[in-house]
Amino acid sequence: MRTAILVIAAICLGHLLHARQLAVNIKSFGATGDGTTLNSTFIQRAIDSCSSAGGGKVIVPAGRFLTGTIALKSNVTLMLERDAVIVGSTNVNDYRNLDPFTDGLGVDVGWALVVAVDAKNIAIEGEGAIDGQGKQLKEVQIATDTRPEGERWGRRPFLLRVVRCENVRVQGVKLMFSAAWTSHYFQCNRLHIEDVKIISHGVAHNDGMDIDGCQNVRISNCDIESGDDALCFKTTSSTMACKDIVVTGLRLKSGHGAIKMGTESMAPFENIKISNCHIYNTNNGGIKLLTVDGAHLRNVEISDITMVNVKTPILLRLGSRLSVFRKGKDVQQPTGTFENVVIRNVKAEAAADAQLKPPSGILITGVPGHYISNVTLDNISIKLAGGGNAAHSRQVVPEAIDKYPEVKTFGPLVPAYGIWARHVKGLKLNRISFTLDSNDVRPAIICEDGDAISITNCDIPSTTGAEAVIRLEQVNKATITGNKVEGNAAALVRVEKSDGKKIKVSQNRFSATSPVKYIHH
C-alpha cells in the first residue's frame, strides 16, 4: 500500500511539474499576427487548452494579433514576447461584458479586451504590448451609435479587466491606448504589478490603473501616462475594501488626477501606503483622497512625493453623494468617515493655469456634521503663482454636499492661497512652506468650522496688504506656534465667530501689526 501511494504521488508530482512547464504558442492554434485577421477564437482556444491541461504559459510571439475579448483562465500566464502586440478590434461587437457595473458618472460599463473573472494564479508578463486602438475604435463606433457621448463611451472596452481573482501578477508589459479605462482590478486578492508602462490617451475616460476593492496589493516601478486619472483607487461595491496596499516608485502624468482615491467609494480604503512617486504635467489634482458614497477612508500614508506643473496639488474630501454602482446587488450607504491620514515630504510646483483662479495649494473639506478627522500634513512645500486680492479672500465656497468630488466643484476659487480647510477636527499642519511668484493678499491658511487645529513650524512668504496670514472661523480650539511669517499683514491670526478662549498663539516670528485679532460677529 505504501509503495502504491508513493507511485501515485510521483505521478501527481510529474503532472504538476509538466503543468508548470507547459507552454503553448497561439500560432499553433491558428492565430495570425498580420494585424488584420481576427484572432479571438484562436487565442481563446490556446488559453482554454493550457488551462485544461493544468496551466502554464500561453505565448504570444512577435507580430500584431488582432482580437476581440479574450478571457484568461486559472493557472495561465499570458506571455508577450518582444515585439508581440495584442491589438484590440475596432468593432465594439467583438467585445463581451463578463461583469457589468455602473461607473461614478452613472454609465453602464464593463466590456474588456483582456479579461479574467473568478480565476486563480494568473499573470500577464513579458516585453510585449496590448494596444486597444481606442481612438480608432471610437471613430468606427460613432458612425452608427447616435447616443450622446456621455452615454456612448460606456460601450467601449476596457483594455484589461481582472475580476475577483486571486494571486495575480502583471509585469513588464506595455498597456496602450485603451478605448476606456486601461486596467481595472476588481475585488482581487494578492495582486502584484511591477515594471508596467501605460500610455493611454486620445479618448475620454482613459484611466491608467484602477484598483477597485482589492486587498494585499503591491505596485512598484510603473510609468503611467493617462488621459484620465493615473492611479485610482475605487470601491464600486460595498462588500470588499481597498486594503493592505503598498505603492512605490511610480512616475505619473495625467489629464486629470495623478493619485486618486474614492470617486466611487462604497467600501473602506484602509492601510494604504504610497511613497516615492513623481507626478508631472497633471491637469486636475496631484493627490486626491475622497470618500463620498459611504466609505471609511482611514490609515492612509502618502510620503516622498514630487510634483511639477500640477494643477491644485492636494484635495481631501468627505461628502455625501451616496451613489450605488452595482444595480440590484448593493444598497445605499450612510455618509462615511475620513480619518487618520498622513501626507508628508511633498514638494510641489503648482501650475499657474489651474481649475481655481487664482490657484490654491491644498483643499480640505467635509460636510456639515461630518468632519475630516486626524489628518497630518508634514514637511510640505508648494510653489504657487499668487495673485489673489481682497475680494478673493472672502469668496464663499459651495458645500456641494452631494456633488461629484472634483476641485472645480468648489470653484471658481477658494479664499486661501495655501491651505483652505473646512469641517475638520484634529488637523495638524507642521513644517508647511509656500513660495509665491506674485503678491497674494488672501490668507495663507484658512480653517472654517474646526476643532483641535495645530499649525506649527510653518514658513510663510512675504506678502503685503493682507487682512491676516491665518484666519480661523468658528474654530473651537487651536495651537499656533513656532511659525515664521515674513511681510506685513493687519494680523498674524484673525479669529472670527469664536470667543478665542482655546486658541493659543505663541513663539511665532512675524512682522504683522497684531499677533491676534478677534472679530465678534
Side-chain angles (χ1 to χ4, degrees), residues 33-208:
D34 58 7
T36 58
T37 302
L38 189 67
N39 292 288
S40 313
T41 300
F42 309 127
I43 298 174
Q44 194 62 58
R45 284 176 183 168
I47 292 169
D48 293 348
S49 176
C50 185
S51 181
S52 297
K57 292 184 177 181
V58 172
I59 296 172
V60 182
R64 294 180 60 82
F65 294 89
L66 186 72
T67 181
T69 297
I70 54 174
L72 282 179
K73 302 294 179 66
S74 292
N75 304 312
V76 171
T77 294
L78 189 64
M79 170 61 75
L80 300 169
E81 294 186 338
R82 177 175 292 186
D83 298 324
V85 185
I86 291 175
V87 181
S89 168
T90 58
N91 184 348
V92 295
N93 296 316
D94 290 332
Y95 297 93
R96 294 178 287 156
N97 191 343
L98 303 185
D99 180 68
F101 72 102
T102 304
D103 87 322
L105 298 172
V107 178
D108 293 334
V109 293
W111 288 264
L113 174 53
V114 179
V115 62
V117 178
D118 298 317
K120 295 182 178 180
N121 308 322
I122 61 171
I124 302 173
E125 62 184 26
E127 299 179 66
I130 303 174
D131 183 349
Q133 296 197 109
K135 185 176 180 180
Q136 296 93 321
L137 184 146
K138 177 183 176 180
E139 290 173 355
V140 173
Q141 179 203 22
I142 63 177
T144 57
D145 191 337
T146 59
R147 292 177 298 167
E149 178 62 16
E151 301 173 13
R152 178 171 54 204
W153 80 266
R155 184 59 182 82
R156 297 173 199 152
F158 297 2
L159 194 76
L160 171 63
R161 284 202 72 205
V162 184
V163 177
R164 296 184 302 274
C165 293
E166 186 173 336
N167 195 19
V168 178
R169 186 179 75 258
V170 181
Q171 186 169 0
V173 295
K174 298 180 182 68
L175 306 178
M176 304 167 63
F177 304 113
S178 179
W181 298 359
T182 306
S183 56
H184 179 222
Y185 305 88
F186 175 65
Q187 292 192 343
C188 294
N189 190 15
R190 297 200 301 276
L191 170 63
H192 183 95
I193 305 170
E194 184 177 4
D195 296 326
V196 170
K197 171 72 173 180
I198 293 176
I199 304 175
S200 195
H201 46 75
V203 297
H205 311 289
N206 276 148
D207 286 18

Side-chain angles (χ1 to χ4, degrees), residues 403-438:
K403 303 303 182 185
Y404 188 87
E406 271 299 358
V407 173
K408 66 180 181 180
T409 302
F410 305 101
L413 59 92
V414 299
Y417 72 77
I419 300 172
W420 173 79
R422 181 174 62 187
H423 310 310
V424 291
K425 292 184 178 181
L427 176 64
K428 296 180 176 64
L429 307 177
N430 184 48
R431 297 189 296 167
I432 312 295
S433 65
F434 304 105
T435 56
L436 294 169
D437 289 339
S438 63

